[in-house]
Amino acid sequence: MRLALASDHGGFELKEAVRGWLQEWGYQVVDLGTHSPESVDYPDYIALAAAAVSRGETDRAVVLCGTGIGASIVANKFPGVRATLCHDIYTARMSRLHNDSNVLAMGGRILGADLAREMLKVWLETPFEGGRHERRLRKVAEIERKILEGEKP
Ligand code: RB5
């Protein structure tokens, strides 16, 4: 699996750790920045990672800012992206089982490293449950299509 990775300064420290864990576990990582703790605007970096998933250049992405909120807002603007802001193991697992999350958003100022590492592992290894959730995600995709094509959702 190939993953894009991006953060602003608020998520920078955790992004550096996430890159190390992903590499340790054998994933291919495309780190799109930011590359220092200097203050930047989160949309500039998060958009790069979300675009990579939207265009099919990477399978998934991990995006981080201080809270993960801005990162998830930006990522969900991109067609085909299902970005999920997760705070614990339960939300990380459910985001895969029920939402087929393809972008994990986390808050670098909220999560401790051990928790973030465990959440990341669960998110990477939990399959999508399908079934009724497949139907619901088809409805989400249909809403996205209508909006893009100027129809009433
Ligand atoms: C930056 O100070 C902070 O606003 C940003 O990292 C993020 O938390 C936004 O949602």
Side-chain angles (χ1 to χ4, degrees):
M1 192 192 297
R2 193 171 147 86
L3 289 115
L5 188 55
S7 77
D8 70 355
H9 54 290
F12 172 70
E13 200 180 319
L14 186 54
K15 175 179 72 67
E16 295 298 288
V18 165
R19 191 183 60 235
W21 299 328
L22 290 172
Q23 286 168 343
E24 177 193 325
W25 297 332
Y27 293 95
Q28 278 184 57
V29 185
V30 185
D31 186 346
L32 296 162
T34 185
H35 299 291
S36 85
E38 203 176 301
S39 182
V40 292
D41 296 336
Y42 62 85
D44 297 341
Y45 292 89
I46 306 306
L48 301 175
V53 174
S54 188
R55 293 192 206 113
E57 293 163 6
T58 63
D59 303 294
R60 296 196 204 169
V62 180
V63 295
L64 308 108
C65 62
T67 58
I69 296 171
S72 61
I73 290 172
V74 172
N76 277 315
K77 299 293 178 196
F78 286 77
V81 165
R82 292 176 300 279
T84 53
L85 173 56
C86 296
H87 294 300
D88 46 41
I89 306 289
Y90 182 76
T91 48
R93 179 177 298 112
M94 294 308 284
S95 77
R96 289 289 312 135
L97 286 173
H98 286 192
N99 311 107
D100 198 15
S101 169
N102 54 10
V103 175
L104 173 63
M106 294 192 288
R109 292 176 180 157
I110 293 178
L111 300 170
D114 287 354
L115 175 58
R117 180 181 157 103
E118 196 55 35
M119 286 168 59
L120 181 63
K121 201 161 183 41
V122 164
W123 180 78
L124 288 164
E125 294 177 1
T126 303
F128 176 47
E129 204 173 272
R132 66 189 186 282
H133 305 295
E134 181 86 59
R135 182 183 70 239
R136 291 163 186 165
L137 288 184
R138 268 202 307 273
K139 291 187 179 185
V140 173
E142 186 59 6
I143 290 169
E144 183 176 271
R145 184 196 65 73
K146 285 181 176 170
I147 290 170
L148 286 171
E149 293 176 9
E151 288 176 35
K152 267 202 203 156

